[in-house]
């Protein structure tokens, strides 16, 4: 199916965009399959554990995600740009990034593990569960390999590795579900999933494979990347905290069981957001080489359209999936799903904005609006959660995301152009850009067919046979 879709693209049609479409197809194949299977298994796991234990599992993974937001050093989009521009050998860039990220993640995770061990409020089982899930952050480094393949438009490798890991991890979870395993084993399973991804990426055989080597560590790369990465680190941390702080505050104000219910909504939103963000990542090299207004407008349109179309599909499917997979104990999640999905749409818009600012070397302007939005989110959560519960948390996230991802760009003259491009895409749902790309694709196919027909030699009618005398 994927090969058919890729081959259907006309050979002469806009080679850069064609390459990014191929890249997106492979990314979407891997992620859609992985998310669909994972969502079913997570639903069955949540149903078996119940809101209390599932809340513990989700909170542990949320803390691990926050730690990784710091440990990844804000390098995700910068790595794609650097691998695309090839200023350094791939082995040096990859090795330096992996080593720095591993060291940073360990330095942050170890104090957290010590604090959990010393905390008197947790039971021994919950302490162990938190330790396992938080410790899994040491294996999140497979993102560095993904940046390399995305920059080279080799997302077929990501698809193969992701689907292979999915098969192994799904088999493990099915065995655990069959044997009615408890919280600790499912925490170990979650850590195993992440470790398996890293192992497969590090051993994956490719032509001219790039391997991580300690000898390839380059201090000059660290010095050069740190300046543009610092604001992106703040952005990454704030974005992750955006999506996690409400869950942590719900656990503190309403209890872990309510956090477990809310985490179902978060799972649906995360499953949805991955797809438009992958589209944005796959097309990011398209604006890295020459970020002119037309390219950026098309980029925003594609990202916004994919986010809205995917959001509507996932929202409708979730109303069938949550009661069936998660059970009656999680039905409250449906009440806030629409608000959370809308907030996720603006989160994707902000993601595209961050990519644009990186491409035009204005990434240092993004943290201010994210910081203000985060403070707004925390303040609104403190006011709305005690009064409105889960609905208040979802509303606080929506309001703050609209500001941080979109309206906040009005605060600086340098980002006002980004605000105009975003506003056009948001108000038109990205339809003009998608329509333009489709028309170019179809128009090129028609013109290619006409050229092919014109070059074909005229055939002689079969009724007329040339005789020697005719000459």
């Amino acid at each position: 199916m994927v090969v058919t879709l890729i081959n259907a693209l006309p050979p002469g049609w806009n080679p850069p965009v064609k390459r990014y479409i191929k890249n997106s197809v492979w990314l979407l194949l891997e992620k859609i399959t992985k998310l669909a299977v994972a969502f079913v298994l997570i639903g069955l796991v949540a149903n078996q554990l119940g809101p209390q234990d599932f809340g513990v599992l989700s909170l542990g993974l949320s803390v691990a995600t926050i730690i990784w937001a710091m440990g990844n050093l804000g390098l995700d989009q910068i790595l794609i740009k650097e691998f695309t521009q090839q200023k350094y050998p791939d082995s040096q860039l990859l090795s330096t990034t992996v080593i720095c990220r591993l060291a940073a993640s360990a330095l942050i995770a170890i104090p957290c593990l010590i604090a959990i061990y010393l905390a008197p409020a947790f039971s021994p089982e919950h302490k162990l569960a938190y330790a396992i899930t938080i410790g899994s952050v040491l294996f999140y480094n497979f993102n560095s390999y993904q940046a390399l393949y995305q920059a080279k438009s080799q997302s077929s490798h990501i698809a193969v590795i992701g689907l292979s890991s999915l098969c192994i991890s799904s088999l493990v979870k099915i065995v655990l579900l069959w044997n009615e395993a408890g919280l600790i084993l499912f925490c170990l399973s979650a850590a195993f999933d992440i470790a398996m991804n890293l192992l497969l990426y590090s051993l994956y055989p490719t032509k001219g494979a790039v391997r991580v080597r300690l000898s390839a560590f380059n201090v000059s790369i660290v010095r050069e990347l740190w300046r543009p990465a610092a604001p992106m680190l703040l952005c990454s941390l704030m974005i992750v905290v955006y999506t996690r702080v409400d869950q942590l505050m719900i656990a503190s104000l309403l209890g872990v069981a309510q956090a477990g219910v809310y985490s179902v909504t978060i799972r649906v939103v995360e499953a949805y957001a991955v797809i438009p963000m992958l589209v944005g990542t796959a097309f990011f090299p398209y604006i890295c080489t020459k970020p002119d207004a037309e390219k950026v407008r098309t980029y925003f349109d594609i990202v916004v359209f994919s986010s809205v179309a995917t959001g509507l599909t996932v929202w409708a499917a979730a109303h069938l999936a949550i009661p069936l997979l998660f059970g009656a104990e999680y039905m409250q999640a449906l009440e806030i799903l629409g608000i959370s999905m809308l907030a996720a749409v603006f989160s994707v818009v902000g993601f595209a904005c961050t990519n644009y600012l990186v491409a035009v070397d204005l990434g240092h302007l993004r943290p201010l609006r994210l910081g203000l939005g985060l403070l707004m989110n925390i303040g609104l959560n403190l006011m709305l959660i005690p009064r409105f519960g889960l609905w208040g948390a979802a509303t606080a996230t929506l309001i703050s995301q609209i500001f941080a991802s979109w309206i906040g760009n009005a605060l600086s003259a340098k980002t006002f152009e980004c605000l105009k491009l975003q506003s056009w895409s948001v108000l038109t749902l990205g339809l003009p850009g998608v329509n333009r790309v489709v028309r170019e694709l179809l128009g090129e196919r028609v013109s290619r067919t006409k050229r092919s027909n014109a070059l074909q030699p005229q055939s002689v009618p079969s009724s007329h046979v040339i005789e020697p005398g005719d000459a």
Side-chain angles (χ1 to χ4, degrees):
M1 176 65 74
V2 175
V3 175
T4 303
L5 289 173
I6 292 176
N7 290 337
L9 294 172
W13 182 71
N14 201 338
V17 178
K18 179 181 175 182
R19 184 169 66 252
Y20 304 135
I21 290 178
K22 291 182 179 181
N23 204 33
S24 299
V25 169
W26 281 111
L27 286 171
L28 290 174
L29 169 71
E30 185 258 342
K31 285 300 179 182
I32 291 175
T33 305
K34 195 170 184 178
L35 288 172
V37 175
F39 187 76
V40 172
L41 292 175
I42 287 171
L44 297 175
V45 170
N47 201 342
Q48 182 165 306
L49 291 179
Q52 185 76 20
D53 282 349
F54 185 65
V56 172
L57 174 62
S58 299
L59 283 175
L61 293 174
S62 295
V63 174
T65 305
I66 293 174
I67 293 174
W68 176 245
M70 295 181 281
N72 73 2
L73 304 176
L75 289 173
D76 283 342
Q77 305 309 316
I78 292 174
L79 272 181
I80 296 176
K81 181 180 179 181
E82 293 296 326
F83 279 127
T84 301
Q85 296 178 346
Q86 296 184 323
K87 291 189 292 185
Y88 294 98
D90 290 343
S91 60
Q92 289 189 12
L93 188 56
L94 181 65
S95 299
T96 302
T97 303
V98 168
I99 293 170
C100 288
R101 283 177 159 181
L102 178 61
S105 299
L107 288 174
I108 300 168
I110 290 173
C112 294
L113 295 174
I114 295 173
I116 289 171
Y117 176 77
L118 298 176
F122 302 136
S123 67
E125 182 185 26
H126 287 177
K127 285 184 179 182
L128 181 57
Y130 286 131
I132 294 170
T133 50
I134 292 173
S136 68
V137 74
L138 299 177
F139 306 118
Y140 276 49
N141 232 325
F142 63 86
N143 289 21
S144 303
Y145 293 90
Q146 289 181 339
L148 170 63
Y149 292 137
Q150 288 169 3
K152 307 298 182 184
S153 294
Q154 297 175 343
S155 293
S156 58
H157 300 329
I158 298 176
V160 172
I161 294 172
L163 294 176
S164 301
S165 175
L166 175 65
C167 292
I168 298 171
S169 62
S170 298
L171 181 60
V172 171
K173 284 187 173 61
I174 290 171
V175 172
L176 294 179
L177 287 167
W178 182 266
N179 290 280
E180 298 182 351
L183 173 62
I184 300 302
L185 287 178
F186 280 114
C187 289
L188 287 171
S189 172
F192 173 79
D193 295 347
I194 302 167
M196 180 56 60
N197 264 305
L198 178 60
L199 180 64
L200 291 176
Y201 271 107
S202 61
L203 299 179
Y204 185 71
T206 59
K207 183 179 180 180
V210 181
R211 303 299 183 199
V212 174
R213 294 178 290 109
L214 186 61
S215 59
F217 183 85
N218 189 335
V219 177
S220 62
I221 293 178
V222 179
R223 293 170 181 165
E224 179 170 341
L225 296 186
W226 173 246
R227 185 175 179 275
M232 293 300 102
L233 170 59
L234 291 176
C235 290
S236 300
L237 179 59
M238 292 176 192
I239 289 171
V240 170
V241 172
Y242 257 122
T243 61
R244 295 296 188 275
V245 68
D246 45 5
Q247 192 175 358
L248 299 176
M249 295 179 73
I250 287 169
S252 176
L253 298 173
L254 303 178
V256 177
Q258 283 289 286
V261 174
Y262 190 78
S263 67
V264 173
T265 304
I266 298 298
R267 294 281 184 174
V268 175
V269 168
E270 287 177 343
Y272 143 75
V274 165
I275 296 175
M277 284 187 175
L278 276 176
V279 173
T281 300
F283 277 84
F284 179 48
Y286 176 61
I287 62 171
C288 280
T289 54
K290 186 182 178 183
D292 55 54
E294 182 178 354
K295 282 188 174 183
V296 174
R297 187 182 298 111
T298 301
Y299 176 73
F300 278 133
D301 282 350
I302 291 172
V303 173
V304 170
F305 177 81
S306 66
S307 66
V308 173
T310 307
L312 292 173
T313 303
V314 172
W315 178 81
H319 279 75
L320 300 174
I322 289 178
L324 179 63
L325 298 175
F326 289 83
E329 292 180 296
Y330 298 92
M331 288 296 291
Q332 191 180 358
L334 290 176
E335 299 176 7
I336 58 172
L337 182 60
I339 301 174
S340 297
M341 292 290 290
L342 186 57
V345 170
F346 285 101
S347 176
V348 173
V349 172
F351 171 79
C353 172
T354 299
N355 286 350
Y356 164 74
L357 293 178
V358 170
V360 297
D361 296 322
L362 291 176
H364 60 281
L365 298 177
R366 182 82 171 125
L368 174 60
R369 288 176 296 288
L370 283 175
L372 293 175
L374 179 58
L375 293 176
M376 182 186 299
N377 190 19
I378 294 174
L380 290 172
N381 271 317
L382 289 173
M383 290 189 295
L384 298 179
I385 289 178
R387 185 173 179 182
F388 300 104
L390 301 185
W391 185 90
T395 303
T397 301
L398 172 60
I399 296 173
S400 58
Q401 282 287 7
I402 290 175
F403 172 81
S405 300
W406 180 25
I407 304 300
N409 282 323
L411 297 178
S412 172
K414 294 182 179 180
T415 57
F416 196 75
E417 180 66 21
C418 180
L419 173 66
K420 292 192 295 183
L421 295 172
Q422 282 181 303
S423 299
W424 172 256
S425 296
V426 170
L427 295 176
T428 61
L429 303 181
L431 291 172
V434 173
N435 180 59
R436 183 166 57 253
V437 170
V438 172
R439 286 170 64 108
E440 287 181 10
L441 177 59
L442 295 178
E444 177 62 30
R445 181 179 292 278
V446 171
S447 62
R448 178 168 164 257
T449 303
K450 290 181 178 179
R451 288 195 302 269
S452 177
N453 292 337
L455 293 175
Q456 290 181 358
Q458 297 294 326
S459 60
V460 178
S462 59
S463 60
H464 180 73
V465 179
I466 300 179
E467 298 293 337
D470 290 341

